[in-house]
Amino acid sequence: MSLRIEHITVRYGQTTAVDDVSLDIADGEVVALLGPSGCGKSTLLRTVAGLEKADDGEVRWDGDDLTGTPVHERGFGLVFQDGQLFPHRDVAGNVAFGLRMAKVDKEVRLKRIDELLELVGLDGYQHRKVTQLSGGEQQRVALARALAPQPRLLLLDEPLSALDRALREQLAVDLARLLREAGATALVVTHDHDEAFTLADRVAIMRKGKIRQVGPPAEVWREPADVETAKFLGCNKFVPGSFVGLANDRVGLRASALRVDPAGTLEGVVLERVHRRDHVRLLVEIDGDEYEAVGPVTEIGDRVRLVVEQDGLAVLRDEPHGGQ
Amino acid sequence: MAHPRSRLNRRSRLNWTLAALLPLGFLAVFFAWPVLAIITLGLREGGISEALTSADTWELVAFTLGQAAAATVVAVITGLPVAFVLARCKIRGLGVLRAAVMVPFVLPTVVVGLAFRAFWPDGGVLPIVLANAFFNVAVVARTVGGLWAHTDRRAEDAARALGASRPRAFLSVVLPALAPAIGSAAAVVFLFCATSFGVVLILGGARYRTLETEIYLRTVELFDLSGAAALSLIQFAAVIAVLLLGALARRRRETALALKGREELARRPTGGEWAVVAAAGAVVLALLTPVVGLIIRSLSTRDGWSLAGYRALATTGERGTLSVSGVEAALNSLRTATDATAIALVVGVFSAFVLIGLKRSGSRVSEALDTALMLPLGVSAVTVGFGYLVTMDALPGDFRTSPLLVPLAQALVVTPLVVRMVLPVLRAVDERLRQAAATLGAGPARVWLEVDLPLVGRSLVAAAGFGFVVALGEFGATSFLARPDAPTLPVVIARLMSRPGALNSQMAYAACALLMVVTIACVLLIERLRVPSSGEF
């Protein structure tokens, strides 16, 4: 019960959208394909679904090559960014669709619909029109619809990107729980690292058609494969490891890497200050160089002490040539 | 170049191209063949060059194009305020307005001719232009309104915020955005007006003739086939030119738009906008005047109000003018129109699917087929009708006596309308909706059945109703092909009007009113069913 992507290449005319990508997903595992827009991650997902033809390479399920298997016989569920619910069917009709295609008995069908709507927190929504649902509710129905026929693999294409921020964060947590409860094997495409890290057991970083790094979220977050990946994961300043007391050549700093704290060992002067939702962002000058930091309210011009937050650091493996 | 993707595309392109042969075959047998047969018949007799060099011919061409251009201008000017109200205003009675505008377009030409004769008993140029415009206000209002309803209002708001006055914003922002729709509508209207038959025949009398009525006169009364063929050729050339312009406008329109829903754009009119609303109201009143006039005329006799005309429908008219009673003719009409609608739906829906498939696989045949399907709208119905008479005997079982002859001719006119109504809806179906169905286990055929068909269903019913009323009112080809013992209502009306007798004309007006009531009922039904602001008519 596992998916194996082997040396997949997809070209559109002159451009290569996916370039010789290989990736395995184990049974019950959730893998996130994380990368900036246009990196080829959606194309890869659509190739797995059978909606795109690969120019080279294979998608295998339990070792069987799926190249000749059409979309509707793959048994892979797909959730789009914007739901794509059938507007002419109600909520129950949407969830039932895959079950009807699989010729499931009506009684079993109805029970399964109830179960799934309960699972996604839309109990009693059976006969609502899908056009009257909010964006978040639509995505929940889309998820229930995809899960209903018990797909071998669930494919999620930016499932939360169309929602507003607060809802997105809430739904990401819900979705992570749902995927665990359903025991789903899933491939999630996203450009949002918070989303990827919330949902996935493993994260695959993709850039310019290639997978640059695969690993558990904490590892990828802490040790990005290269500078570009570190930048994509929020690092905007690179310093020698000695600056934060590490032995590495280079360490990437995120905005939260330095925090104002009287017990800190670094010392600087506050240059700018911006209030954010739950903290204050500062621009601090340390030894003639500017750094971002977070902290309690301070005045511009104040002299402050700063501590290093480990979560804000990305440790880059020492590269012999260290080119940027 | 030979990677799998292009191979895949090439194969589906081939499949769709083969599928396109079916509608093209239908057009070839029931349209191109009869028309070409008539033209070659005329050519063989010689005298084409004579017709082409005659000053009379060119006067005829000038009058045909002139009256069509004038009617187009009138229809565009009167149609724009109505389009504005339909697209942008949140006011009461919008549904009534929408239906009211639609009524004239589907009224039988004979009926409209008679309605205008009630006001201008002697006919003339002005009533011809007005009557042609009267038909086509709906085309402008619906085509332009359809686009207007979905163009983003914020560009206009931005222009106003930058200091443009309301008229200035309209001229510099709104009008250019609408130009493709106006162009496309004008092309269609021009086509309809240039080939309009019943109206010109009834209002023009012997004095004012267009190419279409002249073709009819030469074929039927003068047996001057070469002259008729020459005129058909000229008409054909003009029609193709206009169709190509229309196709160009449509292409620009489809590529240039980011569409939005009407709901978020419509609002209550303010200030000067009420003047536009009033203008639209005046246009609708003007549109309804002939309709009301006709009903009044059908009820009034020299001796005051009377239902005599309606009672006479059960008879064959004064001194047996008709071969069947009015009621029988009405039943004939219903039967014929039903058959024609069924044929047009099958051909039209199939063609729409093929057009979508061709376009998606990147084939160029798509536009050629699209244009070919529109051709019958612009070719003289009289030519088609006469062409049937000289060719259809070659089909198995002498098709000339087949009860399907008239429905087939009518279906030719209805099919393009079906295509134009179904196509935009099919095009608007998000490809990912089909993909979602596929990932849930639906094969290609099942996807059509479960996704495309239900989504297109309402517009299909609307197209059927619409096609039905158009077939009901078709006069040009039907007048040619209907067997004497099975005339349709419009044929009966024309015959009654051409014979003396007060009761005959009373009966004709009553038949008109009857036809109108059926038409209006259908339009109201369509309005209830149609997908909000979709389709081009």
Side-chain angles (χ1 to χ4, degrees):
Chain A
M1 293 284 281
S2 68
L3 181 81
R4 167 161 287 189
I5 297 168
E6 284 182 341
H7 304 292
I8 288 285
T9 298
V10 183
R11 292 187 202 95
Y12 295 120
Q14 296 298 311
T15 44
T16 304
V18 177
D19 189 0
D20 191 23
V21 165
S22 298
L23 182 69
D24 287 352
I25 303 180
D27 189 20
E29 191 185 29
V30 178
V31 174
L33 264 180
L34 175 62
S37 48
C39 72
K41 56 192 192 300
S42 282
T43 305
L44 180 58
L45 179 117
R46 292 169 57 79
T47 309
V48 173
L51 296 170
E52 302 281 343
K53 291 264 178 287
D55 291 277
D56 220 332
E58 286 115 46
V59 175
R60 290 178 182 278
W61 184 260
D62 283 349
D64 298 335
D65 183 5
L66 295 180
T67 307
T69 312
V71 187
H72 63 282
E73 286 168 13
R74 291 197 178 194
F76 294 171
L78 175 59
V79 176
F80 286 105
Q81 180 175 354
D82 48 355
Q84 293 298 331
L85 300 177
F86 303 124
H88 54 291
R89 296 188 183 282
D90 59 9
V91 170
N94 268 277
V95 179
F97 192 90
L99 299 170
R100 283 201 299 116
M101 296 304 120
K103 301 199 168 59
V104 173
D105 284 341
K106 186 162 188 197
E107 254 170 62
V108 184
R109 222 154 65 201
L110 290 176
K111 231 175 101 194
R112 182 96 181 111
I113 293 169
D114 294 346
E115 270 170 35
L116 279 159
L117 288 182
E118 199 186 321
L119 186 71
V120 298
L122 292 177
D123 230 354
Y125 273 57
Q126 276 82 343
H127 300 297
R128 294 272 191 101
K129 280 191 173 176
V130 294
T131 44
Q132 288 164 356
L133 301 179
S134 71
E137 289 167 342
Q138 288 188 15
Q139 275 314 72
R140 286 163 193 263
V141 175
L143 184 67
R145 181 178 72 176
L147 285 173
Q150 290 170 307
R152 310 192 279 187
L153 172 72
L154 189 62
L155 302 166
L156 301 131
D157 191 0
E158 303 266 6
L160 306 175
S161 302
L163 309 174
D164 54 49
R165 184 184 173 136
L167 191 60
R168 196 162 65 220
E169 286 171 9
Q170 173 58 40
L171 263 186
V173 176
D174 287 354
L175 184 57
R177 175 183 58 81
L178 277 168
L179 292 177
R180 299 285 175 283
E181 279 177 21
T185 309
L187 181 62
V188 190
V189 158
T190 176
H191 65 270
D192 181 319
H193 46 72
D194 280 337
E195 208 171 293
F197 293 158
T198 310
L199 294 173
D201 301 314
R202 277 194 306 148
V203 174
I205 303 280
M206 204 166 164
R207 196 169 58 245
K208 291 182 184 155
K210 284 185 181 298
I211 287 187
R212 307 287 163 160
Q213 186 177 7
V214 185
E219 184 188 305
V220 173
W221 186 248
R222 176 73 182 177
E223 295 172 28
D226 49 35
V227 172
E228 282 301 311
T229 306
K231 282 184 178 167
F232 178 68
L233 293 176
C235 297
N236 40 30
K237 184 120 186 142
F238 294 88
V239 295
S242 56
F243 182 81
V244 290
L246 293 171
N248 300 67
D249 278 356
R250 244 163 23 138
V251 170
L253 301 183
R254 299 189 174 93
S256 59
L258 300 176
R259 184 167 54 80
V260 173
D261 189 324
T265 52
L266 292 163
E267 202 178 301
V269 177
V270 177
L271 297 176
E272 283 172 25
R273 178 182 75 172
V274 181
H275 287 268
R276 297 297 289 263
R277 212 165 24 143
D278 50 1
H279 62 274
V280 178
R281 280 207 168 182
L282 306 171
L283 191 65
V284 182
E285 188 184 314
I286 304 172
D287 294 339
D289 214 347
E290 291 175 359
Y291 296 87
E292 282 189 280
V294 293
V297 180
T298 47
E299 293 303 318
I300 289 171
D302 276 359
R303 186 157 275 281
V304 291
R305 301 189 75 83
L306 303 136
V307 288
V308 176
E309 288 286 341
Q310 289 303 312
D311 192 48
L313 299 184
V315 182
L316 285 154
R317 269 170 249 157
D318 296 338
E319 291 169 55
H321 40 82
Q324 181 125 9
Chain B
M1 275 288 104
H3 57 83
R5 175 177 310 280
S6 71
R7 275 203 301 277
L8 187 87
N9 252 342
R10 211 173 299 154
R11 194 186 321 141
S12 86
R13 209 178 301 163
L14 183 71
N15 286 342
W16 284 115
T17 309
L18 287 177
L21 290 179
L22 270 163
L24 284 176
F26 174 83
L27 282 178
V29 174
F30 294 107
F31 175 66
W33 182 34
V35 170
L36 290 177
I38 278 296
I39 291 176
T40 45
L41 201 65
L43 290 176
R44 216 179 299 140
E45 287 191 9
I48 285 279
S49 58
E50 198 180 301
L52 282 181
T53 48
S54 142
D56 283 354
T57 307
W58 294 106
E59 250 172 53
L60 210 56
V61 171
F63 180 73
T64 305
L65 299 183
Q67 63 87 22
T72 307
V73 170
V74 175
V76 168
I77 290 175
T78 51
L80 281 180
V82 183
F84 170 79
V85 174
L86 288 182
R88 282 288 154 96
C89 293
K90 231 179 210 161
I91 49 173
R92 277 161 162 278
L94 208 59
V96 177
L97 183 79
R98 196 179 287 275
V101 171
M102 205 54 201
V103 168
F105 180 62
V106 286
L107 280 184
T109 54
V110 180
V111 173
V112 174
L114 277 190
F116 275 78
R117 227 165 84 164
F119 294 91
W120 283 274
D122 299 326
V125 182
L126 185 66
I128 290 178
V129 168
L130 288 182
N132 274 334
F134 170 85
F135 273 115
N136 290 304
V137 172
V139 178
V140 177
R142 301 296 280 246
T143 313
V144 179
L147 179 61
W148 208 337
H150 295 283
T151 33
D152 200 333
R153 188 159 204 157
R154 283 173 299 180
E156 197 181 336
D157 291 343
R160 299 266 286 136
L162 289 167
S165 65
R166 208 186 282 274
R168 181 74 187 274
F170 176 80
L171 287 178
S172 57
V173 177
V174 182
L175 211 54
L178 295 179
I182 296 176
S184 157
V188 174
V189 171
F190 186 82
L191 208 62
F192 283 152
C193 295
T195 59
S196 119
F197 175 59
V199 161
V200 183
L201 196 68
I202 288 178
L203 292 172
R207 279 180 304 153
Y208 301 105
R209 279 173 289 169
T210 61
L211 283 170
E212 183 87 12
T213 57
E214 184 70 11
I215 292 169
Y216 175 78
L217 282 178
R218 296 219 179 164
T219 347
V220 178
E221 291 180 10
L222 307 173
F223 299 106
D224 172 16
L225 283 187
S226 62
L231 296 179
S232 292
L233 279 177
I234 294 171
Q235 197 186 32
F236 205 68
V239 162
I240 289 182
V242 175
L243 278 177
L244 288 179
L245 285 176
L248 274 179
R250 263 207 304 284
R251 188 177 335 166
R252 289 226 310 270
R253 173 177 159 187
E254 267 162 31
T255 49
L257 294 177
L259 298 179
K260 309 201 85 185
R262 178 183 194 274
E263 298 311 318
E264 42 190 315
L265 294 168
R267 56 190 180 202
R268 269 192 83 72
T270 54
E273 287 178 355
W274 281 110
V276 185
V277 176
V283 169
V284 172
L285 277 183
L287 289 180
L288 292 179
T289 310
V291 175
V292 175
L294 196 73
I295 291 175
I296 293 175
R297 182 68 187 75
S298 77
L299 290 169
S300 57
T301 63
R302 243 168 288 159
D303 317 320
W305 301 105
S306 155
L307 284 170
Y310 290 89
R311 274 196 298 271
L313 285 176
T315 71
T316 56
E318 205 170 324
R319 290 185 294 274
T321 300
L322 306 172
S323 52
V324 300
S325 75
V327 175
E328 277 171 81
L331 290 177
N332 274 337
S333 274
L334 293 178
R335 267 195 298 271
T336 317
T338 308
D339 291 347
T341 309
I343 298 170
L345 275 181
V346 172
V347 179
V349 171
F350 186 80
S351 303
F353 279 153
V354 171
L355 281 173
I356 293 279
L358 280 174
K359 191 136 207 170
R360 215 181 293 141
S361 63
S363 166
R364 298 245 179 88
V365 189
S366 166
E367 273 178 23
L369 178 62
D370 200 347
T371 305
L373 281 166
M374 292 296 277
L375 273 181
L377 272 190
V379 170
S380 159
V382 174
T383 309
V384 175
F386 198 56
Y388 270 37
L389 290 185
V390 300
T391 51
M392 290 298 130
D393 57 323
L395 286 184
D398 195 352
F399 222 73
R400 281 178 302 183
T401 56
S402 162
L404 278 182
L405 191 64
V406 176
L408 274 169
Q410 292 177 345
L412 271 185
V413 188
V414 178
T415 306
L417 302 177
V418 172
V419 173
R420 288 265 84 81
M421 282 182 86
V422 173
L423 201 55
V425 184
L426 272 182
R427 265 192 202 135
V429 176
D430 195 320
E431 187 56 26
R432 287 174 306 160
L433 210 53
R434 300 188 182 106
Q435 294 174 347
T439 61
L440 290 166
R446 199 75 197 263
V447 172
W448 281 122
L449 194 71
E450 297 274 354
V451 178
D452 290 276
L453 207 60
L455 289 179
V456 92
R458 280 157 70 96
S459 72
L460 211 60
V461 179
F466 193 44
F468 182 76
V469 289
V470 169
L472 211 54
E474 210 286 333
F475 178 60
T478 311
S479 66
F480 238 95
L481 297 174
R483 282 170 299 151
D485 57 330
T488 62
L489 220 40
V491 174
V492 160
I493 292 168
R495 182 160 176 85
L496 285 170
M497 287 309 290
S498 65
R499 295 299 142 105
L503 185 63
N504 275 350
S505 82
Q506 199 65 32
M507 188 173 158
Y509 281 116
C512 278
L514 196 68
L515 209 47
M516 217 161 56
V517 168
V518 176
T519 304
I520 291 174
C522 283
V523 170
L524 291 177
L525 187 74
I526 296 163
E527 284 305 319
R528 289 196 72 91
L529 287 168
R530 73 181 293 127
V531 184
S533 321
S534 64
E536 294 183 4
F537 294 107

